[in-house]
């Protein structure tokens, strides 16, 4: 008995779902909403007229066009006997249920262990400590790579045959690092490693891996990166509150490439567009990152308890009159030129005579390791190269 969607309704659905794509052309969200409202107005007027003829109050609230369209789609699909891909009912579009008193937090990131990069480690710790507080339910979304991409990305020839196998590795590493079992869910979305960008790119609509009933708060680690190729509904449409956390200044990486200045110009504006469309608030970890709309500078990574213990130990040694730091300096970072190795080598070479006897330990793995080390050797710089390790490793 449910009438099928008519042409205006189908067009309204298409326009609404094309919002992120239309953003790239500067078409604002309120204009898309107006188009959707106009397309739906014919059916709305029919329903209002039918209600008035029957002597009833209007059945449609003009301010709830989007909700009415959702209900229409749900009712049509339900009338066909079709079920959602997640196996849930077609009432998934409803607001999340927080009757248990706990909010739902989904942390979505662009990398995963065993790749020891910031967007793999810090979001994992964030999930663990948010879950430890027991004030909210937490889901961590990380990328799943095919075997050939795993071989390119993960160190020491580590690969996994299934997401469950990788999840066990992640949880074991985490428990060893923080010293407690963290009760949160780990979910995987399909990703593809881009050699050109040296980054993992989400394949498809990542937001669909969080059921609508749990779509409460989203924390997007690197929101610009996650949404470069996002073609699903806006995160702000699905979630009640969306926070983007900017880790990386991609513009500085891109400027080093061929035609880098031109590429950086376009990427800067794309980043602004996607973060404006998909985030309610953007947190930049430092002023060294790209300035973005709706952003503030705020380090929300916290401090690893290991570092606090080191500080307490150093303070105690100083009170006893001992020398707290007996060695010089070290440089730690993924061994790619963009991490600052070019600047490091240039400065050491320029001031070589002033730094006679100064030794520097360098910790890092990466695609440019051979080139970095051979350049330092050719310039006869006093650098001692070591394998990469965690910032809180006991050896440091």
């Amino acid at each position: 008995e449910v009438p099928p969607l008519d042409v205006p309704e189908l067009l309204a659905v298409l326009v609404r779902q094309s919002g992120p794509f239309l953003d790239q052309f500067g078409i604002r969200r309120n204009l898309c909403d107006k188009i959707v409202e106009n397309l739906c107005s014919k059916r709305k007027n029919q329903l209002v007229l039918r209600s008035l003829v029957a002597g009833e109050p209007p059945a449609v609230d003009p301010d709830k066009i989007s909700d009415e369209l959702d209900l229409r789609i749900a009712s049509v699909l339900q009338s066909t006997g079709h079920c959602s891909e997640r196996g849930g009912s077609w009432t998934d579009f409803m607001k999340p249920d927080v009757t248990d008193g706990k909010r739902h937090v989904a942390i979505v990131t662009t990398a995963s262990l065993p790749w020891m990069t910031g967007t793999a480690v810090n979001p994992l710790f964030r999930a663990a400590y948010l879950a430890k507080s027991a004030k909210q339910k937490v889901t961590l979304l990380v990328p799943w790579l095919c075997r050939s991409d795993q071989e390119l990305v993960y160190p020491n020839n580590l690969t996994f045959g299934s997401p469950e196998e990788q999840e066990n590795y992640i949880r074991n590493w985490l428990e060893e690092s923080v010293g407690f079992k963290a009760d949160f869910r780990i979910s995987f979305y399909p990703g593809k490693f881009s050699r050109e960008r040296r980054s993992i790119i989400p394949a498809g609509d990542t937001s669909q891996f969080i059921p609508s009933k749990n779509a409460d708060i989203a924390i997007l680690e690197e929101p610009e990166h996650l949404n470069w190729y996002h073609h699903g509904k806006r995160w702000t449409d699905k979630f009640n509150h969306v926070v983007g956390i900017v880790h990386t200044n991609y513009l500085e990486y891109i400027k080093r490439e061929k035609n880098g200045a031109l590429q950086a110009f376009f990427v800067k504006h794309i980043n602004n567009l996607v973060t404006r469309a998909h985030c309610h608030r953007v947190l930049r970890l430092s002023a060294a990152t790209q300035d973005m709309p709706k952003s503030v500078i705020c380090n929300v990574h916290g401090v690893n308890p290991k570092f606090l213990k080191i500080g307490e130990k150093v303070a105690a040694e100083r009170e006893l009159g001992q020398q707290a730091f007996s060695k010089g300096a070290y440089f730690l970072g993924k061994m790619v030129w963009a991490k600052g190795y070019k600047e490091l080598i240039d400065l050491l070479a320029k001031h070589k005579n002033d730094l006679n006897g100064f030794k520097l330990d360098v910790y890092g793995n990466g695609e440019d390791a051979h080139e970095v080390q051979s350049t330092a050797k050719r310039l006869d710089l006093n650098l001692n190269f070591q394998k990469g390790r965690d910032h809180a490793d006991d050896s440091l």
Side-chain angles (χ1 to χ4, degrees):
E1 297 176 1
V2 178
L5 296 176
D6 56 26
V7 172
E9 287 174 323
L10 288 169
L11 286 172
V13 173
L14 179 63
V15 170
R16 195 175 63 177
Q17 291 190 342
S18 300
F21 174 73
L22 295 173
D23 274 341
Q24 310 302 320
F25 296 95
I27 298 175
R28 302 297 295 272
R29 178 176 175 176
N30 57 354
L31 180 58
C32 290
D33 292 343
K34 197 74 178 173
I35 295 170
V36 170
E37 183 179 343
N38 288 334
L39 288 167
C40 293
S41 62
K42 179 182 176 183
R43 179 167 179 80
K44 178 187 74 176
N45 293 335
Q46 288 176 345
L47 292 174
V48 170
L49 183 61
R50 193 181 304 161
S51 299
L52 292 173
V53 169
E56 300 171 353
V60 179
D61 182 349
D63 296 327
K64 295 183 178 179
I65 294 296
S66 182
D67 289 346
E68 293 296 333
L69 186 58
D70 277 337
L71 286 168
R72 276 284 292 138
I73 296 167
S75 62
V76 171
L77 288 167
Q78 197 170 39
S79 71
T80 67
H82 190 77
C83 293
S84 98
E85 291 177 4
R86 288 189 297 272
S89 69
W90 284 107
T91 56
D92 271 359
F93 59 82
M94 294 172 65
K95 288 294 180 186
D97 178 16
V98 290
T99 52
D100 59 1
K102 290 187 177 181
R103 306 298 296 267
H104 293 262
V105 180
I107 301 172
V108 190
T109 189
T110 55
S112 174
L113 294 180
W115 194 12
M116 293 293 291
T117 189
T119 50
V121 176
N122 288 312
L124 180 60
F125 284 151
R126 196 186 321 286
Y129 282 94
L130 279 173
K132 187 184 180 186
S133 74
K135 294 179 181 178
Q136 52 271 314
K137 295 178 179 178
V138 180
T139 300
L140 176 66
L141 263 75
V142 296
W144 168 255
L145 299 177
C146 65
R147 181 64 65 92
S148 58
D149 278 356
Q150 290 183 39
E151 291 169 353
L152 290 172
V153 177
Y154 299 150
N156 305 320
N157 299 316
L158 262 177
T159 58
F160 305 97
S162 67
E164 291 78 14
E165 191 181 335
Q166 186 168 0
E167 180 176 345
N168 287 335
Y169 177 93
I170 293 170
R171 291 194 185 279
N172 290 336
W173 184 93
L174 178 64
E175 188 175 346
E176 190 177 318
S177 298
V178 299
F180 61 85
K181 269 189 183 297
D183 182 20
F184 65 94
R185 184 168 171 257
I186 296 178
S187 182
F188 290 81
Y189 65 84
K192 180 68 182 170
F193 181 67
S194 167
R195 293 194 185 206
E196 295 76 21
R197 290 280 173 261
R198 291 176 173 175
S199 299
I200 297 172
I201 305 297
D205 178 9
T206 311
S207 68
Q208 70 177 322
F209 292 91
I210 293 292
S212 293
K213 63 181 180 180
N214 296 335
D216 184 13
I217 299 169
I219 299 175
L220 305 184
E221 313 276 351
E222 297 197 322
E224 71 285 40
H225 181 158
L226 284 167
N227 290 295
W228 282 333
Y229 303 103
H230 182 80
H231 61 266
K233 71 192 307 185
R234 297 185 196 201
W235 291 89
T236 49
D237 286 343
K238 179 163 184 174
F239 287 81
N240 290 327
H241 195 68
V242 183
V243 179
I245 300 179
V246 178
H247 294 242
T248 307
N249 191 334
Y250 282 104
L251 305 185
E252 288 301 319
Y253 280 71
I254 292 167
K255 284 176 184 176
R256 298 166 186 263
E257 299 176 3
K258 187 179 179 181
N259 301 319
L262 182 62
Q263 286 192 68
F265 172 80
F266 286 112
V267 171
K268 176 183 177 180
H269 290 285
I270 290 170
N271 288 350
N272 286 339
L273 283 168
V274 296
T275 52
R276 184 185 285 115
H278 291 285
C279 299
H280 292 111
R281 170 63 73 185
V282 176
L283 304 179
R284 299 163 56 205
L285 293 180
S286 80
T289 56
Q290 179 189 338
D291 189 12
M292 291 182 179
K294 300 183 284 190
S295 69
V296 294
I297 297 168
C298 181
N299 185 353
V300 289
H301 277 353
V303 180
N304 188 322
K306 280 189 176 182
F307 291 119
L308 299 178
K309 290 177 182 176
I310 291 168
E312 292 165 1
K313 179 174 176 287
V314 167
E317 289 173 351
R318 278 183 173 163
E319 285 185 6
L320 295 173
Q322 298 176 8
Q323 185 179 356
F325 296 100
S326 59
K327 297 185 179 181
Y330 68 84
F331 183 98
L332 188 152
K334 186 180 177 184
M335 204 168 290
V336 294
W337 287 113
K339 284 291 186 183
Y341 284 92
K342 183 180 185 302
E343 290 78 2
L344 173 71
I345 287 176
D346 287 349
L347 283 167
L348 290 177
K350 183 177 180 180
H351 300 282
K352 190 174 178 180
N353 294 333
D354 302 326
L355 296 171
N356 187 32
F358 177 77
K359 295 180 179 180
L360 189 70
D361 290 331
V362 179
Y363 296 90
N365 304 322
E367 295 91 334
D368 297 331
H370 176 73
E371 197 177 343
V372 170
Q373 293 178 36
S374 60
T375 303
K377 187 176 181 181
R378 177 170 52 81
L379 295 171
D380 194 26
L381 301 179
N382 202 359
L383 296 177
N384 179 30
F385 289 97
Q386 304 276 354
K387 292 289 185 183
R389 59 196 68 182
D390 188 83
H391 294 248
D393 191 275
D394 291 337
S395 64
L396 296 173

